[in-house]
Amino acid sequence: MALGPLGQIHVSVTDLDRSVAFYRDVLGIEFLFRVPGQPMAFFSTGDVRLYLGVPESPEFTTRCLLYFRVTDIETERDRLVDAGLTVEAPHVVHRDGVTDLWMAALTDPDGHHLVLMEER
């Protein structure tokens, strides 16, 4: 027996309304639902669900780095810069003779590092 695919990632936030607006309205990630009466919101990121939540206690606080696939890293960076975000210039981080891996980083309102990635 082995573990199955990753199903969900939790990202700790301090202000759920602000984070929902950022991930839904600025990044454009598909919003699924909020849990009534709980500081929890869920988004669809392909096969992995993104869970934003205010932790109940400090031991459940997460710090993570999220990598999002994009099809045109320059266009996506320009869109996010136009929305008021600071996004580093796209650059090649790896070449293997077949594919170039491009990345560009930014942060969310709680300081989590987010990275755009494109394979060419």
Side-chain angles (χ1 to χ4, degrees):
M1 187 163 256
L3 294 179
L6 189 62
Q8 181 169 286
I9 295 173
H10 175 266
V11 177
S12 293
V13 300
T14 56
D15 181 327
L16 189 62
D17 291 333
R18 176 185 69 183
S19 293
V20 166
F22 178 80
Y23 281 83
R24 180 191 60 210
D25 303 335
V26 178
L27 296 183
I29 298 173
E30 181 186 354
F31 175 74
L32 295 174
F33 61 93
R34 283 181 79 153
V35 177
Q38 298 291 323
M40 304 163 68
F42 295 86
F43 293 79
S44 176
T45 58
D47 292 334
V48 178
R49 192 167 44 203
L50 184 63
Y51 160 26
L52 304 181
V54 178
E56 292 180 9
S57 58
E59 64 266 17
F60 289 104
T61 299
T62 60
R63 295 295 302 164
C64 55
L65 186 103
L66 302 174
Y67 292 80
F68 293 96
R69 293 182 183 276
V70 296
T71 56
D72 183 334
I73 199 166
E74 285 88 3
T75 299
E76 189 61 20
R77 178 189 183 264
D78 291 346
R79 181 185 75 81
L80 295 172
V81 168
D82 289 346
L85 301 181
T86 300
V87 183
E88 73 178 14
H91 58 282
V92 175
V93 297
H94 178 71
R95 287 189 167 103
D96 65 11
V98 177
T99 303
D100 291 348
L101 177 58
W102 288 74
M103 293 189 178
L106 63 143
T107 57
D108 77 0
D110 285 288
H112 296 285
H113 295 280
L114 310 177
V115 179
L116 310 177
M117 59 182 283
E118 178 189 355
E119 293 177 312
R120 296 181 185 164

